[in-house]
Amino acid sequence: MTTYGSFPGTRPRRLRTTPVMRRMVAETRLHPADFILPAFVVEGAAEPVPIPTMPGVVQHTRDTLKKAAAEAVAAGVSGIMLFGVPEESKKDAVGTPGTDPDGILQVALRDVRAEVGDDLLVMSDLCLDETTDHGHCGVLDSEGRVDNDATLERYAEMAQVQADAGAHVVGPSGMMDGQIGVVRDALDQVGREDVAILAYTAKYASAFYGPFREAVASSLKGDRKTYQQDPANARESLRELALDLEEGADMVMVKPAGPYLDILARVADVADVPVVAYQISGEYSMIEAAAEKGWIDRDRAILESLTGIKRAGAQNILTYWATEVAQKLG
């Protein structure tokens, strides 16, 4: 073959020649400590309930939830985010199970803390959507609109009962204006200054939540576009970030992760607290469904998707594959 001068003088492929070379020069690495496991626990179940739209994920019983938490600890996962699913008959307009000390989420928090102590960060979803009969993340006014300030009062009470039940971290996810400041004040008033807040800072009104709504037996009719962010907007996320940090957020989150990597990168560039991303149910289910049909390599696709999220700036990732991937990395 005839060559011309010294072209190509630079050969980036030299750093891709072998698996060991590629591993050595990798700019982004996944580690078990990166991961937080979202987990669902359903009230009154004798056996775990498979979620058809999320193959491999279940609504746990209290006992199987404790087992899942112990497995996460053994794998080196950092945290578990709990979502409680009450009996349908207990749901009401104001989400009473969310503030009942004997509500399923509070019971599950106590169970998991008793099982793992401080070996795993026990986190709680602080929202009303699982416990209201209308399925919205807040209290409705006389015209059926979500009442921001009335909802904040419920969030304050939820924060206190979740902290009392053992949460290391609470995750206000309803996208109400002022929610972080109200939750911080509520926790501090009852001497829970050590309970951290993971702010759902940029939570978009996404089509990718579909399987999750089955997982929590959502009663929602309509949508959440009046409080979750418009997928068309980016600058708005930075405004939400500034407000959450001013109100006392200890960590901030972008949700969903995959379709919003640009938002994640922008938040990570300016945030001075840990940045978290939530790889949500629709992201999980698409990979699982495509892999089941043989269209993609499941394990490679999982790792590639998680690497992309971390490369974009996430320090930690909520993912339904947390324990599985952590076991493989370990």
Side-chain angles (χ1 to χ4, degrees), residues 175-257:
M175 291 298 289
M176 297 296 119
D177 295 339
Q179 63 183 12
I180 302 306
V182 165
V183 167
R184 184 70 272 160
D185 285 347
L187 291 169
D188 292 351
Q189 286 174 16
V190 293
R192 298 291 183 174
E193 296 89 351
D194 57 340
V195 174
I197 299 175
L198 169 56
Y200 284 60
T201 292
K203 183 178 180 181
Y204 283 87
S206 173
F208 293 93
Y209 296 134
F212 176 90
R213 290 176 183 169
E214 180 177 359
V216 297
S218 174
S219 304
L220 180 68
K221 293 179 177 60
D223 58 52
R224 300 187 172 117
K225 293 180 180 179
T226 64
Y227 45 103
Q228 294 178 353
Q229 283 184 243
D230 185 340
N233 293 350
R235 288 192 303 270
E236 185 179 32
S237 294
L238 299 183
R239 186 183 187 198
E240 292 280 5
L241 172 65
L243 290 167
D244 283 354
L245 293 176
E246 181 181 346
E247 292 174 23
D250 299 290
M251 298 171 275
V252 295
M253 183 195 292
V254 174
K255 180 182 182 182

Side-chain angles (χ1 to χ4, degrees), residues 46-128:
E47 299 290 339
V49 181
I51 302 169
T53 54
M54 299 179 70
V57 180
V58 301
Q59 293 177 326
H60 284 287
T61 68
R62 290 173 60 185
D63 285 340
T64 63
L65 178 65
K66 290 188 289 185
K67 181 180 178 182
E71 290 174 348
V73 171
V77 170
S78 287
I80 186 168
M81 175 66 79
L82 301 184
F83 298 86
V85 183
E87 294 176 355
E88 192 69 25
S89 62
K90 294 184 179 179
K91 295 181 181 182
D92 60 21
V94 296
T96 297
T99 50
D100 180 354
D102 293 322
I104 182 59
L105 180 55
Q106 287 69 252
V107 169
L109 286 166
R110 291 194 292 271
D111 284 345
V112 174
R113 277 301 300 271
E115 183 73 21
V116 300
D118 293 332
D119 293 338
L120 187 70
L121 286 174
V122 180
M123 306 178 174
S124 55
D125 178 57
L126 200 165
C127 197
L128 289 169

